[in-house]
Amino acid sequence: MKIIDAANLDYRSVNEALREADNDCTLEGCCGQRFIAAGMSDRNLTINGIPGNALGAYLNNAHITVNANAQDAVGDTMNEGKILIHGNIGDAAGYAMRGGKIYVQGNAGYRAGIHMKAYNEKIPVMIIGGCAGSFLGEYQAGGIIIVLGFHTDDKPIVGNFPCTGMHGGKIFLRSNCEDIRFPKQVTARSASSEDLGEIQEYLSEYCADFGCSIDELLSAPFTVITPDSKNPYKQMYVAN
């Protein structure tokens, strides 16, 4: 395990050190450096500190653990791998991600999962342990977003305008969603046992990663949101 002290390094120097390492790495003293581990493959990286924007952009089968918060655009266009955030994340997490997993213990900012898409056999998955800001799943074309509603401090589980332009994929909210307004182009309904079976593997993995109880997690109702079959946005993005 190589330890890299990032306290006095800019983002270029941090990434050069990561590329030169022959094995797994721990990054100490991280403070806002951008593009950390962009395009990284086949490596385990632990970050102690707060990484800057675009952590794990274009990630390709690597594993990143952040023992703090992270800033905007986590997992931007990631292809494969896993990012664990032991804290909160900023805006636009998982932008256009087409594979891999982003698991967040805390809350997410605006536009989480924007333009998320599936690619061949790859199904991207994002789980947010707390609440999500406005425009969750904006223009979502594939993949799965799950918001669990822990640690919300009485905030709503999701902000304004969720699922705007959604034309693929699914969103699961651990709530009955009675006070949430969804656009007409999506269908929101109570999740059945069959629906929950579809995400059981991801929920169990999340609980193992963050030390929470799967029984407690499943003790509350879930709502599943899918695009309506007559969704006009689909015609803009999907070839017939």
Side-chain angles (χ1 to χ4, degrees):
M1 174 72 72
K2 180 175 182 178
I3 298 176
I4 299 171
D5 185 356
N8 297 311
L9 300 178
D10 64 13
Y11 75 91
R12 290 186 179 90
S13 300
V14 168
N15 278 305
E16 285 176 6
L18 289 175
R19 285 193 295 267
E20 291 170 359
D22 294 326
N23 52 18
D24 298 340
C25 299
T26 295
L27 201 60
E28 298 285 354
C30 185
C31 187
Q33 291 93 338
R34 299 171 292 163
F35 312 124
I36 291 175
M40 191 167 71
S41 301
D42 302 320
R43 187 78 57 80
N44 291 318
L45 171 63
T46 300
I47 299 175
N48 294 320
I50 300 176
N53 291 354
L55 167 72
Y58 306 101
L59 195 71
N60 192 29
N61 197 28
H63 189 295
I64 301 173
T65 299
V66 179
N67 292 317
N69 299 328
Q71 295 183 3
D72 297 343
V74 172
D76 184 345
T77 323
M78 69 183 289
N79 182 54
E80 195 172 353
K82 186 175 180 180
I83 302 176
L84 289 178
I85 307 292
H86 289 265
N88 304 317
I89 53 174
D91 298 338
Y95 180 96
M97 68 182 293
R98 59 182 185 176
K101 300 171 183 175
I102 299 175
Y103 290 176
V104 182
Q105 189 171 29
N107 303 321
Y110 291 173
R111 289 187 160 90
I114 179 175
H115 286 297
M116 179 188 282
K117 61 199 71 176
Y119 178 70
N120 290 338
E121 301 302 318
K122 295 179 180 179
I123 301 176
V125 178
M126 180 186 301
I127 303 181
I128 299 163
C131 58
S134 298
F135 297 101
L136 173 72
E138 187 179 29
Y139 303 116
Q140 184 182 352
I144 296 172
I145 301 173
I146 304 168
V147 186
L148 299 178
F150 295 129
H151 337 294
T152 58
D153 297 325
D154 296 323
K155 294 180 181 178
I157 193 169
V158 66
N160 297 322
F161 314 113
C163 316
T164 300
M166 180 183 185
H167 54 280
K170 293 184 179 181
I171 294 178
F172 291 81
L173 303 178
R174 187 174 170 270
S175 166
N176 57 25
C177 295
E178 291 178 346
D179 299 325
I180 298 175
R181 295 181 62 184
F182 296 101
K184 294 179 180 179
Q185 293 81 18
V186 302
T187 298
R189 58 178 173 79
S190 296
S192 66
S193 57
E194 183 178 347
D195 293 321
L196 294 177
E198 182 180 345
I199 60 172
Q200 177 79 33
E201 172 188 349
Y202 308 126
L203 296 177
S204 296
E205 183 179 22
Y206 180 93
C207 288
D209 287 332
F210 292 115
C212 51
S213 166
I214 186 68
D215 292 334
E216 179 185 359
L217 193 156
L218 293 174
S219 65
F222 279 75
T223 299
V224 58
I225 302 98
T226 55
D228 190 277
S229 60
K230 298 179 181 179
N231 187 346
Y233 293 101
K234 183 176 181 180
Q235 303 305 318
M236 298 172 61
Y237 293 93
V238 181
N240 290 324

